[in-house]
């Protein structure tokens, strides 16, 4: 193999630091104004993929190409490096055929230090590259393939050595790029992947894994991508050869702009008014304008066949957060929006909504309530173990990159979500998680959504409660525990979760006084039955326990044989959970002290010093409700640890918990975490309670996520219902990305501390 490196002069020096800035047909002019304006005409050069020319951007030689012996990306990068070392700016121009309509794209290259001095934040950096040829004639296919793999690895290792990066800290992508244009496109995709923090195959062709996901990295460590390109070439003797090229890229401080939550395929229109008739008038205005297909609404809010999401912006501007009533229209297309609007008008004109205050909601997410609950009883509900699922909200980072960056700086985000299992190629990995892994991931999901709702959308809960282990998630997520991330490693290595009440069930073995060689076959079953019938049978089955009471269903757990016998005598069918956990059963009492010590954590100073009580409800501290007691939990380390242990080691009466919270003023329950299991239970519990006592106050349960549904659509449905209930929140994250043009290169930059 002929292994040639274009970095012969720099191998013994510092690694390259070539700043790369993305440009495209939409923002090329603005980028050019900012970049080229800083360089004199003689300080800019342009390399075009079509003719591989290296020529001044301006001047008499602007169109005189320089012919290269090898039109390879690395060869051109070598010449670009030479130009950059002379203080020049290099623009790579090419056509991106992967777009629906091929676009002329650009990449700007300049010295990293120069970029920093100019306050230009790079999307990525080129840290090293190498290339090599190998002949493929005269050998059989198997040998040729083995040699090709070895040669490609040698080139990649040489590029990594030049960049002074370890293969262990690098993600590698292999791509076929037979033309210079294809190589340029691959380079741009690599830089985009880094800037978007999205680890995914750069080409999602048919049959390939097209799944995208957040690119997790070790805390304070840069993401490194080794882009490995292979191309078929021919020499002067026409002997077939392969050209291997490797380019090492590292992340920059500039992130891709967040995707818009609302677009032509995900419509969201908030409308507010003083009364229902005024709401109807605005909805009809929307329908009439749409049906006419021409003209514009007041403030230019017309909706046409060639609809663009920007046209929704005036509706957000007209929206009054202080109006007594509001509705939201949601739809997947402009035609569907018309149908949603007409359905909304019919609902608003109906007696059930207008006079009886019935809530209206469509499957698409459009909603309205004539009797808003407000935020006085806004309660965050934290789900327990077992709600996480494979690939949950894996595209959320594309819409909230700054939030992910913040969480990644604060702790190990990957460990918090158990990403190697949740986002594994095999979806069964998530289903086979241990109890400790599920507990960590569940808390991580709740932590992420809590920060999303409170920091991004500025939603402020008045109360909080948790289902089972959700109580721990509640304290970890709502700025009470000083070092919640320390709980990750502690839970992973906890005897409680791995051995005592799960795994080999040592606490159960002690409670049942079993010999070491006696097996335990443990299971739990969900059964539609009242708790009284089950309690009456428990004395006959000492190794079966009533673990959870939740509305019209209960969970029994214990010896699988005993549980099945109890169900048979009860005359009910049970749905096996096939989960080994002795939480909420009598044997768990044996580890009560351990659990209390485990959850007795240092608190943040601000949590110990609640705000002075003021008249305004929004100034009151959050009240934390536990299943272990009727009064709110006192916010101190000992009280919190004891409440969690009491809940953990005792049967859980979730119905009583919801009723207690309702009596304390909870009205609007928002499930904060993966899926929507507790929302369904709360609705059943509340409806059953209301039917028994018509004097009970109205309540509602809302989930911000749903398994099997688009994560962003689920989030918008949650926000829509909160708007209809007149909960104060910020609409800026919804509308701002819609009409925002490409951010200036010196703005919208990630916070300080981004590793490079």
């Amino acid at each position: 193999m002929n292994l040639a490196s274009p970095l012969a002069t720099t191998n013994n020096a510092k690694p390259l630091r070539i700043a790369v800035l993305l440009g495209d047909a939409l923002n090329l002019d603005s980028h050019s104004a900012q970049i080229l304006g800083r360089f004199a005409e003689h300080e800019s050069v342009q390399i075009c993929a079509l003719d591989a020319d290296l020529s001044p951007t301006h001047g008499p030689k602007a169109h005189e190409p320089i012919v290269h012996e090898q039109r390879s990306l690395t060869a051109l990068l070598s010449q670009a490096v030479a130009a950059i070392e002379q203080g020049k700016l290099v623009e790579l121009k090419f056509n991106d055929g992967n777009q629906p309509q091929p676009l002329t794209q650009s990449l700007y290259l300049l010295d990293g230090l120069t970029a920093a001095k100019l306050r230009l934040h790079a999307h990525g950096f080129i840290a090293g590259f190498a290339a090599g040829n190998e002949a493929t004639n005269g050998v059989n296919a198997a040998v040729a393939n083995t040699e090709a793999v070895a040669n490609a690895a040698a080139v990649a290792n040489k590029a990594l050595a030049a960049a002074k990066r370890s293969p262990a800290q690098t993600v590698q992508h292999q791509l076929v790029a037979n033309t210079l244009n294809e190589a340029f496109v691959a380079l741009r995709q690599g830089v985009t992947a880094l800037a978007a923090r999205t680890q995914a195959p750069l080409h999602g062709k048919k049959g390939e894994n097209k799944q995208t996901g957040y690119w997790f990295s070790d805390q304070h460590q840069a993401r490194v991508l080794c882009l490995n390109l292979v191309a078929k070439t021919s020499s002067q003797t026409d002997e077939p050869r392969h050209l291997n090229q490797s380019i090492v890229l590292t992340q920059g401080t500039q992130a891709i702009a967040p995707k818009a939550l609302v677009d032509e395929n995900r419509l969201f229109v908030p409308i507010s008014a003083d009364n229902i008739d005024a709401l109807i008038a605005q909805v009809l205005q929307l329908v009439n304008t749409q049906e006419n297909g021409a003209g514009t609404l007041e403030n230019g809010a017309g909706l046409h066949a060639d609809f663009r999401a920007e046209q929704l912006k005036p509706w957000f501007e007209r929206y009054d957060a202080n109006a007594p009533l509001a509705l939201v229209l949601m739809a997947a297309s402009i035609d569907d929006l018309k149908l949603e609007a007409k359905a909304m008008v019919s609902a608003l004109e109906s007696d059930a909504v207008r006079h009886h205050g019935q809530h209206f909601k469509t499957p698409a997410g459009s909603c309205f309530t004539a009797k808003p609950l407000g935020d006085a009883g806004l309660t965050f509900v934290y789900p327990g173990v077992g709600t996480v699922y494979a690939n949950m909200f894996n595209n959320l980072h594309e819409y909230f990159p700054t939030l992910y960056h913040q969480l990644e700086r604060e702790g190990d985000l990957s460990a918090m979500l158990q990403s190697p299992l949740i986002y594994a190629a095999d979806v069964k990995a998530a289903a086979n998680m241990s109890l400790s892994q599920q507990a960590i991931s569940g808390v991580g999901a709740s932590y992420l959504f809590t920060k999303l709702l409170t920091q991004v959308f500025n939603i402020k809960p008045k109360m909080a409660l948790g289902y089972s282990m959700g109580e721990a998630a509640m304290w970890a997520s709502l700025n009470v525990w000083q070092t919640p991330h320390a709980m990750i490693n502690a839970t992973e290595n906890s005897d409680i979760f791995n051995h005592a009440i799960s795994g080999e069930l040592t606490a159960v073995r002690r409670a049942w006084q079993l010999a070491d060689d006696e097996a335990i076959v443990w299971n739990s079953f969900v059964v539609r039955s009242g708790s009284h019938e089950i309690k009456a049978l428990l004395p006959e089955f000492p190794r079966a326990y009533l673990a959870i009471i939740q509305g019209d269903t209960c969970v029994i757990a214990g010896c699988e044989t005993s549980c099945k016998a109890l169900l048979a005598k009860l005359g009910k069918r049970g749905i096996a959970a096939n989960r080994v956990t002795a939480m909420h059963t009598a044997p768990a009492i044996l580890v009560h002290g351990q659990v209390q010590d485990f959850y007795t954590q240092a608190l943040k100073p601000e949590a110990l010093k609640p705000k002075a009580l003021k008249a305004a409800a929004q100034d009151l501290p959050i009240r934390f409700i536990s299943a272990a007691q009727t009064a709110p939990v006192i916010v101190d380390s000992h009280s919190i640890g004891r409440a969690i242990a009491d809940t953990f080691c005792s049967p859980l009466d979730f119905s009583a918990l919801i009723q207690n919270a309702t009596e304390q003023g909870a009205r609007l329950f928002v499930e904060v975490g993966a899926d929507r299991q507790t929302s369904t239970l709360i609705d059943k519990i509340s409806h059953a309670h209301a039917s028994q006592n018509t004097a009970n106050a109205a309540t509602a349960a809302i989930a911000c996520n749903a398994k099997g549904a688009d994560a962003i659509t689920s989030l918008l449905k949650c926000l829509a219902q909160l708007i209809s209930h007149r909960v104060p929140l910020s609409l800026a994250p919804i509308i701002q990305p819609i009409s925002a043009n490409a951010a200036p290169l010196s703005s919208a930059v990630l916070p300080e501390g981004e590793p490079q």
Side-chain angles (χ1 to χ4, degrees), residues 166-235:
S166 167
Q169 65 177 167
T170 305
V171 169
Q172 300 208 19
H173 282 305
Q174 284 74 34
L175 294 169
V176 174
N178 287 320
T179 67
L180 184 58
N181 195 81
E182 289 176 351
F184 276 19
V185 170
L187 177 61
R188 187 183 198 278
Q189 289 177 326
V191 175
T192 302
L194 284 166
R197 310 297 189 255
T198 298
Q199 184 175 330
L202 297 185
H203 287 290
K205 297 180 181 178
K206 185 176 182 180
E208 293 181 352
N209 178 17
K210 300 179 183 179
Q211 175 183 314
T212 61
Y214 186 68
W215 188 334
F216 294 94
S217 68
D218 292 337
Q219 198 173 16
H220 308 305
Q221 295 297 312
R223 295 164 179 83
V224 182
L225 172 64
C226 186
L227 190 62
N228 301 315
L229 308 178
V230 60
K232 292 181 179 180
T233 65
S234 61
S235 67

Side-chain angles (χ1 to χ4, degrees), residues 521-679:
V521 181
W522 186 279
N523 210 338
S524 57
F525 299 84
V526 179
V527 55
R528 187 176 295 278
S529 172
S531 59
H532 298 295
E533 295 89 336
I534 296 175
K535 288 178 180 178
L537 296 176
L538 288 179
E540 300 180 39
F541 305 95
R543 292 186 177 179
Y545 309 95
L546 174 59
I548 302 174
I549 302 170
Q550 47 185 32
D552 60 352
T553 62
C554 292
V555 177
I556 62 171
C559 168
E560 186 175 68
T561 301
S562 296
C563 289
K564 288 181 176 179
L566 188 153
L567 289 170
K569 188 157 188 178
L570 189 65
K572 300 282 188 176
R573 292 181 59 188
I575 301 174
N578 298 320
R579 186 176 300 132
V580 179
T581 170
M583 279 189 296
H584 308 306
T585 67
I589 295 295
L590 297 176
V591 295
H592 184 281
Q594 291 175 260
V595 176
Q596 181 168 340
D597 290 343
F598 186 85
Y599 286 112
T600 300
Q601 297 287 316
L603 308 187
K604 291 185 176 181
E606 56 267 32
L608 293 170
K609 300 175 183 178
K611 300 174 184 177
L613 301 184
K614 298 180 181 180
Q618 62 265 26
D619 292 324
L620 297 175
I622 297 174
R623 282 181 289 162
F624 297 94
I625 311 298
S626 170
Q629 59 190 61
T630 54
V633 180
I634 298 173
V635 183
D636 65 54
S637 296
H638 177 76
S639 298
I640 293 171
R642 185 183 61 208
I644 295 176
D646 289 348
T647 298
F648 187 104
C649 300
S650 305
L652 172 64
D653 191 339
F654 190 63
S655 298
L657 173 61
I658 296 305
Q659 291 175 20
N660 177 38
T662 303
E663 290 171 2
Q664 294 193 44
R667 295 293 178 267
L668 200 53
F669 298 91
V670 179
E671 183 172 2
V672 185
D675 208 6
R676 51 165 302 111
Q677 294 185 18
T678 62
S679 298

Side-chain angles (χ1 to χ4, degrees), residues 190-511:
V191 175
T192 302
L194 284 166
R197 310 297 189 255
T198 298
Q199 184 175 330
L202 297 185
H203 287 290
K205 297 180 181 178
K206 185 176 182 180
E208 293 181 352
N209 178 17
K210 300 179 183 179
Q211 175 183 314
T212 61
Y214 186 68
W215 188 334
F216 294 94
S217 68
D218 292 337
Q219 198 173 16
H220 308 305
Q221 295 297 312
R223 295 164 179 83
V224 182
L225 172 64
C226 186
L227 190 62
N228 301 315
L229 308 178
V230 60
K232 292 181 179 180
T233 65
S234 61
S235 67
Q236 294 178 349
T237 61
D238 292 329
E239 178 183 316
R241 305 177 68 86
H242 281 152
L243 170 64
N244 292 307
Q245 304 176 89
S246 292
I247 301 98
V248 179
L249 303 170
T250 62
Q251 71 183 56
T253 52
Q254 178 84 352
I256 291 291
K259 286 186 177 180
L261 296 173
V262 176
D263 58 29
E264 60 272 16
N265 298 313
R266 194 190 291 119
L267 305 180
F268 187 101
V269 184
I271 299 175
S272 61
D274 292 334
N275 53 63
I276 290 180
D277 288 334
L279 286 174
I280 292 174
Q282 291 189 64
V283 177
L284 287 175
Q285 186 182 29
L286 178 70
V287 173
N288 292 336
T289 304
Q290 190 177 350
E291 288 183 337
N292 292 336
T296 58
L297 295 180
E298 182 183 357
N299 297 327
L303 297 175
H304 313 292
D306 59 343
F307 171 78
R308 291 173 293 112
E310 291 90 332
Q311 294 174 255
L312 292 181
K313 188 175 181 180
W315 288 95
F316 283 81
E317 294 172 344
R318 295 169 62 176
Y319 172 78
D320 181 3
N322 297 315
L325 295 176
L327 61 84
V328 174
L329 297 175
M330 287 184 63
S333 70
I334 197 67
D335 290 334
D336 289 346
L337 183 63
K338 180 171 66 175
L339 297 176
E340 291 289 313
K342 290 182 176 180
M344 180 64 73
V345 170
S346 297
L348 294 175
E349 292 176 339
S350 70
D351 187 65
V353 171
R354 181 181 286 270
H355 299 296
H356 298 287
Q358 184 173 318
H359 183 71
F360 174 73
K361 183 172 64 175
T362 72
S366 300
C367 58
F368 170 73
T369 181
K371 296 181 179 179
L373 295 175
D375 68 329
L378 181 61
T379 304
F380 277 10
V381 180
Y382 290 85
V385 173
T387 61
V388 296
Y389 55 93
N391 297 320
M392 58 184 186
F393 32 90
N394 69 328
N395 65 337
L396 199 64
H397 70 282
E398 298 177 343
Y399 298 86
F400 305 102
T402 303
L403 174 66
Y404 270 72
H405 176 74
Q406 171 199 326
L407 298 182
E408 197 167 43
R409 291 179 64 206
E410 293 175 352
D412 191 338
L413 183 59
S414 178
M416 183 189 300
L417 294 172
Q418 296 290 287
S419 67
L421 296 167
I422 292 294
Y423 304 109
D426 183 0
V427 294
K428 294 180 181 179
N432 295 327
M433 294 169 70
S434 67
L435 179 65
S436 61
Q437 291 166 337
Q438 290 189 46
I440 295 168
S441 185
V443 172
S446 291
Y447 188 91
L448 172 59
F449 272 105
T450 299
K451 301 306 178 186
L452 177 62
L453 295 179
T454 59
Q455 295 183 9
V456 177
F457 292 99
N458 202 31
I459 298 169
K460 306 300 182 186
K462 300 301 185 292
M463 302 170 66
L465 59 88
Y467 177 103
S468 183
M469 283 288 294
E471 286 196 16
M474 170 179 75
W475 298 108
S477 302
L478 287 169
N479 300 318
V480 177
W481 279 339
Q482 191 172 89
T483 55
H485 297 92
M487 301 294 290
I488 298 172
N489 186 61
T491 303
E492 284 179 336
N493 298 288
S494 168
D495 178 75
I496 301 169
F497 294 99
N498 294 319
H499 306 289
I501 54 93
S502 189
E504 54 264 49
L505 295 169
T506 56
V508 176
R509 187 170 297 278
R510 286 167 53 198

Side-chain angles (χ1 to χ4, degrees), residues 39 93 106 113 376 419 471 505 700 731:
F39 290 85
K93 295 194 70 174
S106 287
L113 181 59
S419 67
E471 286 196 16
L505 295 169
L731 291 179

